[in-house]
Amino acid sequence: MSSSGSDGRRGGRRARHSGEAFWWALFSAGGVMAALFVPAFVVVTGVLLPAGDPAVAAARAEAFGQAVGWWPVKIALLGVIVLSLFHCAHRIRHTLMDFGLRRYSGLLKVPCYGGALAASLWAALVLRGNTGLV
Amino acid sequence: MSKERASASAGRVGSGEQVAGSPVATDERTITLELFRYHPETDAEPRFQSYEVPYNEDWVVLDAINWIKDHVDGTVTHRWSCRMGVCGSCGMMVNGEPVLTCAAFLKSYFPFAVRVEPLVNFPVERDLVVSMDGFMDKLEAVKPYMIRDDVNDTSGGEFRQSPAELAKYKQFSMCINCMLCYAACPVVGHEEGFLGPAALALGHRYNKDSRDHGRSERMDVMLSDEAMWGCTFVGECSVVCPKHVDPAGAIQQAKAMGAQEYFKAFVMPKGAGA
């Protein structure tokens, strides 16, 4: 038969709270953060800061670096970065599942969320120093 | 897949030839319909069969299929009822798109051929008819009905509801179970455990109903593994819905509700999900 897909039979009830709720919450929060802040960061750090006279741009970058060195800003930045990373990780995992790796959905959590965790730690270390974003 | 061209009579059909309930052709032009054919008792595999059908710009694809069945080939099997976008019976793939054939006008396709197939992601029973068993199982799983202990107790009158409370779920209650969203959803085709757009939207509809007390029972099913979380927000379900329901939106709202319950379970292990 040419038709495909599910026969729809449900194999009874499973655990009430799938861990997917946790990963989806990170994905959802990260999506909001990425949509709201990441484009602005790209414009500010990639276009506005280096624009114009190099000497003026360098002074501007230094002032920006000092602002980023303020710990409340570091915490806010880390929040945006970490949530955005887990947003990416969740999307990549589900994309891989759609590409035929659905049976490995549990195993895929290791490289996807593990990668996001490693990148988050790296971001925390970078922010911990006084070099700001650069 | 073999493709057989059947020589079907075409041309104007006079009122004297009209079959009761069959549309009347009023145009000299014709349009080709390629119908998916499969009779499991005789066919080893599906095939397409072409029919020349009188073209009338007021006709919809369903009219053309009915004309074929009434005038050319009575063995064509399809499902339909109201012809007015209410019953949800006549959903099929028309040129690869899931549509209600009673709402798909021939003039949208003329002069090109129209290929009609059964809804994808469903087992085919015969010709254009799919099996609804899997869908019905999923629909039943989310308990799409009012749950409360006193649901049959009318002594207190109606279960009253404000317009604002009604507005929270009204659009999700417009679903006619036509299953177009299941044919449009790529996750339905990949993930057997995914409940699918219509069932999840209807489950959410009752979860949002202020008169209902069955949210916890429904969430037992909706929150499990890939039942709901398999949705990757492709959004095609909402695009193809003929009743302008937004199942994709319902699923996102239900996910947010489920995530709240998940975290609430840590804070109040015994009180969450009530």
Side-chain angles (χ1 to χ4, degrees):
Chain A
M1 260 333 291
S2 67
S3 64
S4 61
S6 106
D7 66 4
R9 300 288 173 186
R10 307 230 1 106
R13 288 189 182 180
R14 303 175 203 176
R16 176 176 174 83
H17 289 297
S18 162
E20 283 295 313
F22 175 75
W23 301 117
W24 182 84
L26 287 179
F27 165 78
S28 179
V32 173
M33 291 294 163
L36 282 179
F37 296 112
V38 172
F41 286 172
V42 170
V43 171
V44 170
T45 60
V47 179
L48 298 181
L49 280 179
D53 186 305
V56 176
R60 203 187 290 139
E62 191 177 338
F64 183 79
Q66 285 175 355
V68 170
W70 193 35
W71 67 266
V73 176
K74 285 185 177 183
I75 291 173
L77 272 178
L78 187 62
V80 171
I81 292 167
V82 169
L83 289 172
S84 299
L85 284 169
F86 276 93
H87 174 82
C88 294
H90 189 74
R91 179 58 83 192
I92 289 170
R93 175 173 160 246
H94 274 271
T95 301
L96 291 172
M97 286 160 66
D98 287 345
F99 277 138
L101 300 178
R102 193 164 292 277
R103 72 175 69 171
Y104 305 113
S105 65
L107 196 61
L108 285 171
K109 289 177 182 173
V110 177
C112 293
Y113 303 134
L117 182 64
S120 297
L121 291 173
W122 182 39
L125 288 174
V126 170
L127 285 168
R128 185 164 167 259
N130 279 328
T131 54
L133 289 177
V134 292
Chain B
M1 183 179 293
S2 65
K3 185 175 177 183
E4 182 179 304
R5 291 266 167 187
S7 160
S9 65
R12 188 173 185 129
V13 179
S15 59
E17 300 169 85
Q18 185 188 359
V19 176
S22 177
V24 182
T26 58
D27 200 307
E28 298 292 345
R29 294 171 292 178
T30 64
I31 186 169
T32 303
L33 254 71
E34 299 173 353
L35 301 188
F36 179 99
R37 303 301 311 273
Y38 177 67
H39 287 194
E41 67 276 14
T42 55
D43 297 339
E45 61 178 20
R47 60 198 163 87
F48 282 93
Q49 191 163 357
S50 294
Y51 300 89
E52 287 299 314
V53 176
Y55 173 71
N56 184 325
E57 66 175 17
D58 293 331
W59 278 17
V60 290
V61 172
L62 179 61
D63 289 327
I65 299 171
N66 281 340
W67 187 88
I68 292 167
K69 185 170 179 72
D70 291 342
H71 296 90
V72 183
D73 187 348
T75 67
V76 170
T77 307
H78 64 302
R79 190 182 270 141
W80 65 284
S81 181
C82 75
R83 286 173 37 162
M84 53 200 289
V86 174
C87 72
S89 302
C90 67
M92 299 171 207
M93 306 298 294
V94 176
N95 286 356
E97 298 287 330
V99 295
L100 291 182
T101 50
C102 70
F105 281 87
L106 289 180
K107 63 185 175 187
S108 301
Y109 309 99
F110 186 81
F112 304 103
V114 180
R115 174 167 280 207
V116 187
E117 300 166 81
L119 290 176
V120 297
N121 295 333
F122 292 94
V124 176
E125 284 192 347
R126 187 181 181 88
D127 290 345
L128 301 166
V129 175
V130 297
S131 168
M132 297 174 66
D133 293 351
F135 170 72
M136 296 307 288
D137 285 345
K138 292 179 177 182
L139 195 59
E140 191 180 354
V142 299
K143 303 178 190 291
Y145 42 81
M146 196 75 70
I147 298 174
R148 53 188 292 162
D149 293 338
D150 59 348
V151 72
N152 292 319
D153 180 5
T154 55
S155 60
E158 307 90 342
F159 299 122
R160 297 174 70 85
Q161 193 168 54
S162 71
E165 289 169 331
L166 172 68
K168 286 182 180 174
Y169 70 83
K170 187 179 177 186
Q171 70 127 321
F172 305 127
S173 70
M174 296 294 146
C175 175
I176 56 174
N177 299 330
C178 64
M179 308 186 298
L180 298 191
C181 53
Y182 282 65
C185 175
V187 182
V188 168
H190 289 149
E191 174 55 54
E192 186 181 319
F194 181 50
L195 286 172
L200 288 168
L202 282 167
H204 185 63
R205 171 250 177 275
Y206 283 95
N207 283 344
K208 297 289 281 184
D209 192 322
S210 59
R211 302 164 297 179
D212 179 80
H213 300 162
R215 175 173 145 180
S216 182
E217 287 182 42
R218 277 182 216 101
M219 288 308 239
D220 276 345
V221 178
M222 293 167 70
L223 290 179
S224 65
D225 296 341
E226 297 299 323
M228 175 171 68
W229 304 108
C231 170
T232 50
F233 203 21
V234 174
E236 278 299 299
C237 53
S238 299
V239 172
V240 302
C241 180
K243 306 307 286 186
H244 308 295
V245 178
D246 181 13
I251 295 171
Q252 299 314 301
Q253 290 180 21
K255 282 179 172 179
M257 195 185 276
Q260 279 179 6
E261 284 202 9
Y262 179 83
F263 289 108
K264 211 186 283 180
F266 286 104
V267 182
M268 298 181 292
K270 293 181 180 176

